Amino acid sequence: MSACDSALPPADSTDAADARLVALVAASQPSLRAYLHSLVRQSADVDDCLQETNVVLWRKRSEYDPARPFLAWACAIARLQALAHCKRVARRDHVPFDDELFARVAAAAAQHVENQEERLRALRQCLEALPPRYRQLVDQRYAAGKPVREMAHALELSAEAVSMALYRARKQLLECIQLRLARESQP
Amino acid sequence: MTNRDDSVPELPLGSPLGAPRSADEQLTGLLAAATEGEWSAEQSRQLDALLTAHPRLVEAYVAHVALHHVLAWELQTAGSEPPARLSPVAAAEAAASRGDRPVPSVYRSATTLAGWAVLAVCVTLMAMAWLNLPGSLSADDDIVAVLLESEDAVWSGEEFVLPFGMPVARGQRFQLQAGLARLALEAGAGFVVEGPADFTLLDGRQVLLQQGRLVAHVPEGADGFTVVTQTAEIVDFGTRFVATVDDGNATDVYVLEGEVEARPLWDAGRARRLTTDEAVRIGADDLQTPATVVAHDTLPEPPRLDQLLLYRPWDAARASLRLAADGPPAHTPPAGPYTAPDLKVNPAAADTIAHESFAEATTWPLPADSGWGFAPTAWQATPGYVSLLSPPRAWPLVDGAAARQVVALGGRAPGDPLLANRLSRRLADSQSGELWFRFFGCYEGLDDNDFFVLWFDHNARFDASHAGAPSVGIKQGRFLARIDKPHETYGPAAVDGQPFELVGRLSKQASRNYNRLVLWIDPRRGVDTPPDVATEFEPARGVGMITHIGIRLGQDTEADDRLLLGALWLGPTRQSLYPAEKDIQP
């Protein structure tokens, strides 16, 4: 465990504020992980970037304005970590780095994080409407946490077939979510 | 993101069968494969080209990735919170705005995946916060235990790691699906829990065990440690006992050493005093003496006394992984410039997968771009146990040149976690084909109960034993090669303080997993000889893809033992391990 490298706070420091920030950081992990995954892609790289993001969030905790949405601030920091990582990889592989594409993906991912409340509500309804066959697959993969290979073995299918079926299930959920959001936005 | 390819043509949509796939079809194929596993470099390049050529697909790509993560969180938490629950951040922000005590909700809903995933971060950050507070924690703090270590732990269905030395609060509940966890309690006792298990720290000397097996070690002065189950209360009067709660909620108690009192909750008057090798089974309304004897060697090892003594006198602020007492030794880096060999120029090494000579840096840790063929993250090392050294006088020439530096990995000090993982690194590209390796090493302080392995695995968890992964090393004074524990084969004896060169080949024989491993010890270059060690075994759950390599030392190594590691290579052929050699026959 690494200690924060900032100086010891005075005796009347905002311990409660620190604890609140810790709670917010902890609660933001799923959203930050999704955000970083869009940019960094490899699971191990996502883990590394998320760890680095958490450290920076802690180091810069005095800069956080509680009056502003936490996730927007956290994503901005995560974006910088992801950017640094992607540039390192590009340098290592001797390929140019596409700033424009990175910025587009980062913007789209940040938008998803901002809208997560509405999307979450829509997702819950859409899960109920998912065909039983797809719902079963989704439950096995996400609720039971079974790896695709294990599911494939149990279903006597190839891993590729199961991956594609899961993809179709997610696609159906996405279409349903978009439809519901569109309806909700109508006057 | 990879390179921008301005030459990507516009792809037609709705192409007829046999024609090039449409952009949407291409994205479908990529997302289906990559959401469930790792992106290959080629897939990542294809995605970049696709998103660049068709910016409208960026939204679809991001939406799909986001949904994948939201499903994981949402379905793992389903049923454990009120129906009107918010997302984690909204809940935390709402609590903050109400001025609620900012205890993360994970402490109250510790059965959720998201809860456990954020707990790992949360306690790390909270520990960072605590370490910043002047002085030790006050008596009002509700830290009652410390997680000493875990082994191959799977918490609530996910393989993330809770940090060693993590403070544990009163009332904190754990669901361990597999593996082991060792904890030290405030009152001085310690225990190990074997998954699947469900347990809660009631206070500094009481544990609620709802499911699973627990082995307690209660040293002198810590008696009174109590395990509470749904049917019984087990009070220890020293020193070791086993409590097991089965699926039917009956409690089995077995005394390894010392004395305990087992009290049925439904009738305290029928309490039983048990001494060494005595047992009792307490059901919902009955009490029996089991006929079967517990085999000691099947039991997980509880915390050792040296681990428990580490936290005496109890001070929660000291609950962190202890560094080596003297720190790494001083090292003067060799003088003169160092030019790393350009392996890509040498055609004999054109297909070398990875190489590290540990020669490029002046201090540990090495930079993230050290070596060749590794991911752009630095070597992960246990702080205080890894350092750079000048090679011993007996160190052999490596490909005709003197080694510049070696890495020294320290043994296990008293109080340390029993799993002494010391070093690991991720490969730039995952490997699933035949893999050759070569490295130079030397064990200083070798005796019969010392152990080290270089393992090849698909993760680099520091609490993992990697016992299920292929590995080579030294055990019981001999070189060994193993597909997994206990399927290992021993070779010639190793000599204390004598450098060695190991060359090996890891392969798959009609299997999806690596199941064959051969090893040469101090082979002569250019001379084809039978391997010194060979092992072949089809594991039930093997390793089919290698993403990381690492080194672990054994729990019985001594604090002043050192494993020296020199240069290492990975390649698809034997020839690729010798950059300066052109005529090695594979």
Side-chain angles (χ1 to χ4, degrees):
Chain A
M1 244 176 294
S2 57
C4 181
D5 58 3
S6 60
L8 284 177
D12 60 350
S13 67
T14 54
D15 298 342
D18 284 353
R20 274 196 291 274
L21 186 94
V22 166
L24 284 170
V25 169
S28 71
Q29 296 300 291
S31 303
L32 287 176
R33 185 176 291 277
Y35 178 80
L36 285 168
H37 195 171
S38 302
L39 296 167
V40 171
R41 298 179 192 165
Q42 298 283 10
S43 300
D45 292 339
V46 172
D47 292 340
D48 291 342
C49 286
L50 184 58
Q51 236 178 345
E52 289 161 9
T53 300
N54 289 335
V55 172
V56 174
L57 287 172
W58 178 250
R59 284 196 189 130
K60 290 180 177 286
R61 62 195 186 281
S62 60
E63 299 176 22
Y64 169 58
D65 179 0
R68 301 175 67 84
F70 176 79
L71 266 180
W73 179 66
C75 282
I77 289 175
R79 182 180 181 281
L80 292 173
Q81 305 312 309
L83 182 64
H85 170 84
C86 291
K87 284 188 170 179
R88 269 198 307 269
V89 172
R91 272 199 305 274
R92 180 202 68 190
D93 295 344
H94 304 291
V95 295
F97 176 71
D98 192 338
D99 294 84
E100 198 179 315
L101 178 58
F102 182 91
R104 264 207 303 278
V105 174
Q111 190 70 30
H112 269 263
V113 167
E114 274 179 46
N115 298 338
Q116 67 174 1
E117 285 308 315
E118 304 97 81
R119 300 186 76 87
L120 196 55
R121 275 196 296 272
L123 171 65
R124 287 169 188 156
Q125 294 168 325
C126 293
L127 277 170
E128 298 303 318
L130 203 59
R133 187 171 66 95
Y134 278 163
R135 182 62 199 257
Q136 193 182 14
L137 278 177
V138 165
D139 281 343
Q140 290 216 0
R141 175 66 184 87
Y142 294 104
K146 287 187 182 175
V148 165
R149 195 170 290 183
E150 190 178 319
M151 290 170 62
H153 180 76
L155 295 168
E156 296 182 352
L157 296 171
S158 69
E160 291 75 19
V162 173
S163 291
M164 184 53 73
L166 280 167
Y167 171 81
R168 292 197 186 101
R170 286 191 294 263
K171 189 158 183 264
Q172 193 159 334
L173 283 171
L174 277 172
E175 288 165 354
C176 172
I177 290 169
Q178 280 158 7
L179 198 60
R180 287 189 181 271
L181 291 179
R183 283 184 194 152
E184 282 175 15
S185 67
Q186 286 171 0
Chain B
M1 309 291 137
T2 55
N3 56 312
R4 187 208 312 254
D5 186 346
D6 293 323
S7 65
V8 172
E10 273 294 315
L11 299 168
L13 296 178
S15 303
L17 198 66
R21 291 193 298 164
S22 70
D24 294 275
E25 288 168 342
Q26 288 183 59
L27 182 63
T28 297
L30 286 170
L31 285 177
T35 311
E36 300 303 334
E38 295 294 323
W39 290 88
S40 70
E42 177 56 26
Q43 283 175 321
S44 196
R45 193 201 67 78
Q46 287 175 8
L47 179 68
D48 283 349
L50 197 61
L51 297 181
T52 300
H54 305 276
R56 66 175 175 84
L57 294 180
V58 169
E59 168 58 30
Y61 161 67
V62 167
H64 210 95
V65 170
L67 179 62
H68 171 68
H69 285 275
V70 170
L71 279 170
W73 178 80
E74 174 66 12
L75 291 182
Q76 283 283 343
T77 63
S80 63
E81 293 282 356
R85 66 187 182 281
L86 303 171
S87 66
V89 177
E93 287 184 318
S97 66
R98 289 194 302 266
D100 290 356
R101 182 167 181 266
V103 175
S105 63
V106 298
Y107 285 170
R108 296 192 295 274
S109 60
T111 58
T112 67
L113 165 67
W116 286 116
V118 304
L119 177 63
V121 168
C122 183
V123 293
T124 301
L125 291 176
M126 289 187 81
M128 290 164 69
W130 286 322
L131 287 169
N132 260 331
L133 295 175
S136 58
L137 297 177
S138 72
D140 292 335
D141 288 310
D142 57 356
I143 302 304
V144 297
V146 166
L147 177 71
L148 290 171
E149 62 180 318
S150 59
E151 286 186 31
D152 301 319
V154 179
W155 299 97
S156 293
E158 281 295 319
E159 288 192 13
F160 59 83
V161 181
L162 297 182
F164 295 166
M166 180 187 91
V168 177
R170 184 191 311 271
Q172 191 163 343
R173 182 181 179 186
F174 295 89
Q175 289 186 321
L176 180 65
Q177 293 212 350
L180 305 178
R182 292 188 180 86
L183 287 87
L185 278 79
E186 181 183 14
F191 63 90
V192 62
V193 177
E194 183 177 28
D198 185 335
F199 63 99
T200 303
L201 275 295
L202 297 178
D203 59 35
R205 66 174 68 236
Q206 289 194 97
V207 176
L208 170 65
L209 180 67
Q210 292 177 276
Q211 184 200 5
R213 181 157 68 174
L214 179 152
V215 182
H217 179 185
V218 186
E220 190 177 331
D223 36 300
F225 168 69
T226 302
V227 175
V228 180
T229 72
Q230 292 201 15
T231 59
E233 186 180 64
I234 307 145
V235 183
D236 184 283
F237 295 105
T239 33
R240 295 168 193 253
F241 69 93
V242 185
T244 308
V245 177
D246 62 21
D247 292 339
N249 293 326
T251 303
D252 287 300
V253 184
Y254 172 71
V255 181
L256 295 164
E257 184 182 349
E259 186 176 351
V260 307
E261 182 169 285
R263 305 166 185 161
L265 293 182
W266 38 266
D267 186 355
R270 292 185 64 184
R272 284 258 198 105
R273 278 262 173 164
L274 306 171
T275 57
T276 304
D277 285 335
E278 291 186 333
V280 70
R281 182 177 176 86
I282 302 177
D285 55 9
D286 65 343
L287 198 146
Q288 299 170 14
T289 301
T292 54
V293 176
V294 175
H296 289 215
D297 58 0
T298 67
L299 297 173
E301 185 174 350
R304 296 183 176 181
L305 186 59
D306 58 84
Q307 292 179 293
L308 297 177
L309 291 177
L310 184 68
Y311 295 98
R312 285 187 173 186
W314 179 258
D315 181 352
R318 291 174 52 233
S320 62
L321 185 63
R322 188 179 68 86
L323 296 178
D326 300 323
H331 167 60
T332 302
Y338 174 76
T339 304
D342 190 345
L343 295 171
K344 291 186 179 179
V345 169
N346 185 340
D351 55 353
T352 301
I353 292 169
H355 170 56
E356 173 64 83
S357 63
F358 302 110
E360 297 171 52
T362 55
T363 59
W364 190 271
L366 300 187
D369 58 358
S370 161
W372 189 85
F374 294 98
T377 51
W379 283 93
Q380 300 299 306
T382 307
Y385 289 88
V386 183
S387 58
L388 287 172
L389 291 177
S390 298
R393 193 166 297 177
W395 204 266
L397 296 179
V398 177
D399 299 327
R404 187 175 169 89
Q405 290 177 142
V406 298
V407 174
L409 312 179
R412 178 183 172 268
D416 283 355
L418 299 185
L419 275 184
N421 277 307
R422 287 291 177 258
L423 199 66
S424 69
R425 195 157 183 204
R426 191 157 61 90
L427 303 177
D429 296 310
S430 306
Q431 302 300 315
S432 57
E434 183 168 290
L435 185 67
W436 286 79
F437 56 90
R438 175 187 178 215
F439 70 97
F440 287 79
C442 175
Y443 199 105
E444 296 180 339
L446 183 66
D447 53 47
D448 284 346
N449 64 358
D450 288 332
F451 167 86
F452 96 88
V453 284
L454 169 70
W455 48 258
F456 305 85
D457 209 342
H458 48 59
N459 72 81
R461 289 176 50 169
F462 60 83
D463 79 325
S465 63
H466 301 282
S471 52
V472 297
I474 294 175
K475 183 177 177 181
Q476 295 176 353
R478 310 183 77 81
F479 290 101
L480 93 143
R482 69 183 189 192
I483 297 299
D484 69 0
K485 183 182 176 183
H487 302 99
E488 52 200 25
T489 303
Y490 294 90
V495 178
D496 178 23
Q498 180 170 308
F500 53 82
E501 177 186 359
L502 297 187
V503 173
R505 183 181 73 211
L506 187 55
S507 58
K508 301 175 182 177
Q509 302 294 320
S511 173
R512 288 188 307 180
N513 297 317
Y514 288 99
N515 59 356
R516 191 155 193 270
L517 178 56
V518 295
L519 190 64
W520 289 264
I521 299 152
D522 297 323
R524 289 180 56 192
R525 290 168 56 180
V527 178
D528 189 13
T529 58
D532 295 295
V533 189
T535 187
E536 185 167 348
F537 176 73
E538 185 61 45
R541 289 184 64 177
V543 172
M545 178 172 287
I546 294 167
T547 58
H548 294 78
I549 61 170
I551 290 188
R552 176 167 80 88
L553 272 63
Q555 64 185 28
D556 294 317
T557 56
E558 286 72 40
D560 55 358
D561 284 359
R562 287 197 310 195
L563 172 69
L564 306 182
L565 179 66
L568 69 92
W569 294 260
L570 300 177
T573 64
R574 188 167 183 168
Q575 186 178 12
S576 65
L577 305 176
Y578 297 86
E581 180 75 25
K582 293 183 174 57
D583 298 322
I584 295 290
Q585 297 299 318

